Amino acid sequence: MREFINNVSNTSTFPKFIEEETKKALTALISESKDITDKVTKIKISEMIKLFKSNKFLKENQDKQVSVLMLTYELLKEIRNVKSARSIKG
């Protein structure tokens, strides 16, 4: 988010930032998806992975890209919190 605010007018560096963050998010989604058993969560992750693997996402407007990345970070955060709670319980 900070990068978006700081570089919203910088048309040369922001697309590169989005591309790099997309790669990071895709890697994290693939990694986290291996242990997911909940069907709804698996579908969400699967759809996000498809979106990031297609070049369609990188052609979207910047606002939509930022929104999708923020939703992805929230999904990853929730997944990690659930995994952490499970490991504490047993």
Side-chain angles (χ1 to χ4, degrees):
M1 180 59 107
R2 183 180 306 138
E3 189 75 21
F4 177 70
I5 293 167
N6 291 337
N7 290 308
V8 73
S9 63
N10 189 340
T11 58
S12 62
T13 61
F14 193 70
K16 182 71 174 162
F17 169 77
I18 291 293
E19 186 176 340
E20 290 170 8
E21 287 302 306
T22 300
K23 288 177 185 176
K24 290 178 191 176
L26 177 60
T27 301
L29 286 169
I30 291 169
S31 174
E32 296 294 341
S33 70
K34 295 174 183 172
D35 301 328
I36 301 300
T37 56
D38 179 69
K39 285 185 177 184
V40 173
T41 306
K42 258 220 179 310
I43 290 169
K44 287 180 184 179
I45 291 174
S46 175
E47 290 303 312
M48 297 297 274
I49 289 171
K50 285 181 194 175
L51 177 64
F52 288 147
K53 281 186 173 181
S54 74
N55 288 331
K56 180 181 176 185
F57 176 73
L58 294 175
K59 294 176 184 173
E60 294 288 347
N61 69 50
Q62 291 179 350
D63 292 338
K64 186 168 183 177
Q65 290 171 331
V66 170
S67 295
V68 169
L69 283 170
M70 289 176 66
L71 289 170
T72 303
Y73 297 144
E74 283 301 312
L75 177 61
L76 288 167
K77 183 178 169 183
E78 286 181 38
I79 292 168
R80 291 174 182 147
N81 286 341
V82 169
K83 284 183 175 182
S84 177
R86 279 192 210 149
S87 67
I88 291 172
K89 288 182 179 179

